mmCIF file of all heavy atoms in Angstrom:
data_model
loop_
_atom_site.group_PDB
_atom_site.id
_atom_site.type_symbol
_atom_site.label_atom_id
_atom_site.label_comp_id
_atom_site.label_asym_id
_atom_site.label_seq_id
_atom_site.Cartn_x
_atom_site.Cartn_y
_atom_site.Cartn_z
ATOM 1 N N ASP F 257 -37.320 2.407 27.564
ATOM 2 C CA ASP F 257 -37.902 3.731 27.502
ATOM 3 C C ASP F 257 -39.386 3.567 27.196
ATOM 4 O O ASP F 257 -39.771 3.207 26.086
ATOM 5 C CB ASP F 257 -37.198 4.544 26.409
ATOM 6 C CG ASP F 257 -37.678 5.969 26.330
ATOM 7 O OD1 ASP F 257 -38.735 6.287 26.923
ATOM 8 O OD2 ASP F 257 -37.006 6.775 25.681
ATOM 9 N N GLU F 263 -42.886 2.104 19.225
ATOM 10 C CA GLU F 263 -41.847 2.111 18.185
ATOM 11 C C GLU F 263 -41.004 0.831 18.240
ATOM 12 O O GLU F 263 -40.673 0.245 17.207
ATOM 13 C CB GLU F 263 -40.944 3.334 18.376
ATOM 14 C CG GLU F 263 -39.838 3.440 17.373
ATOM 15 C CD GLU F 263 -38.912 4.614 17.660
ATOM 16 O OE1 GLU F 263 -39.317 5.578 18.348
ATOM 17 O OE2 GLU F 263 -37.758 4.552 17.203
ATOM 18 N N GLY F 286 -41.241 -19.288 10.148
ATOM 19 C CA GLY F 286 -41.763 -18.950 8.829
ATOM 20 C C GLY F 286 -43.248 -18.621 8.831
ATOM 21 O O GLY F 286 -43.813 -18.274 7.805
ATOM 22 N N GLU F 288 -46.302 -16.236 9.867
ATOM 23 C CA GLU F 288 -46.588 -14.866 10.289
ATOM 24 C C GLU F 288 -47.330 -14.882 11.623
ATOM 25 O O GLU F 288 -48.144 -15.759 11.879
ATOM 26 C CB GLU F 288 -47.436 -14.164 9.232
ATOM 27 C CG GLU F 288 -47.732 -12.722 9.553
ATOM 28 C CD GLU F 288 -48.479 -12.007 8.434
ATOM 29 O OE1 GLU F 288 -48.644 -12.577 7.344
ATOM 30 O OE2 GLU F 288 -48.888 -10.857 8.681
ATOM 31 N N ARG F 291 -49.132 -8.700 15.532
ATOM 32 C CA ARG F 291 -48.315 -7.636 16.124
ATOM 33 C C ARG F 291 -48.449 -7.711 17.642
ATOM 34 O O ARG F 291 -49.502 -7.997 18.178
ATOM 35 C CB ARG F 291 -48.814 -6.285 15.623
ATOM 36 C CG ARG F 291 -48.016 -5.124 16.131
ATOM 37 C CD ARG F 291 -48.645 -3.805 15.653
ATOM 38 N NE ARG F 291 -47.869 -2.682 16.073
ATOM 39 C CZ ARG F 291 -47.928 -2.133 17.282
ATOM 40 N NH1 ARG F 291 -48.734 -2.628 18.191
ATOM 41 N NH2 ARG F 291 -47.184 -1.095 17.577
ATOM 42 N N GLY F 302 -44.280 -9.122 24.396
ATOM 43 C CA GLY F 302 -45.228 -8.749 25.441
ATOM 44 C C GLY F 302 -44.558 -7.698 26.315
ATOM 45 O O GLY F 302 -43.382 -7.810 26.628
ATOM 46 N N ILE F 305 -45.589 -3.290 32.361
ATOM 47 C CA ILE F 305 -45.177 -2.104 33.099
ATOM 48 C C ILE F 305 -45.669 -2.318 34.525
ATOM 49 O O ILE F 305 -46.867 -2.350 34.779
ATOM 50 C CB ILE F 305 -45.765 -0.812 32.505
ATOM 51 C CG1 ILE F 305 -45.293 -0.636 31.067
ATOM 52 C CG2 ILE F 305 -45.397 0.391 33.377
ATOM 53 C CD1 ILE F 305 -45.907 0.526 30.336
ATOM 54 N N MET F 322 -41.648 -9.762 45.755
ATOM 55 C CA MET F 322 -40.291 -10.240 45.470
ATOM 56 C C MET F 322 -40.327 -11.681 44.952
ATOM 57 O O MET F 322 -39.615 -12.024 44.007
ATOM 58 C CB MET F 322 -39.423 -10.170 46.727
ATOM 59 C CG MET F 322 -39.167 -8.760 47.225
ATOM 60 S SD MET F 322 -37.902 -7.908 46.291
ATOM 61 C CE MET F 322 -36.457 -8.740 46.887
ATOM 62 N N GLY F 337 -33.723 -22.482 28.415
ATOM 63 C CA GLY F 337 -33.256 -23.852 28.614
ATOM 64 C C GLY F 337 -32.098 -23.935 29.581
ATOM 65 O O GLY F 337 -31.302 -23.010 29.708
ATOM 66 N N PHE F 355 -34.257 -2.117 37.802
ATOM 67 C CA PHE F 355 -35.524 -1.974 37.094
ATOM 68 C C PHE F 355 -35.779 -0.519 36.770
ATOM 69 O O PHE F 355 -35.502 0.359 37.576
ATOM 70 C CB PHE F 355 -36.630 -2.470 38.032
ATOM 71 C CG PHE F 355 -37.673 -3.327 37.404
ATOM 72 C CD1 PHE F 355 -37.357 -4.300 36.485
ATOM 73 C CD2 PHE F 355 -38.989 -3.173 37.782
ATOM 74 C CE1 PHE F 355 -38.331 -5.107 35.955
ATOM 75 C CE2 PHE F 355 -39.966 -3.977 37.245
ATOM 76 C CZ PHE F 355 -39.644 -4.937 36.328
ATOM 77 N N ALA F 357 -38.916 0.401 35.989
ATOM 78 C CA ALA F 357 -40.325 0.619 36.311
ATOM 79 C C ALA F 357 -40.404 1.352 37.646
ATOM 80 O O ALA F 357 -39.556 1.177 38.512
ATOM 81 C CB ALA F 357 -41.062 -0.713 36.388
#
Side-chain angles (χ1 to χ4, degrees):
D257 184 346
E263 180 184 338
E288 182 175 352
R291 182 184 183 279
I305 299 174
M322 294 281 287
F355 223 41

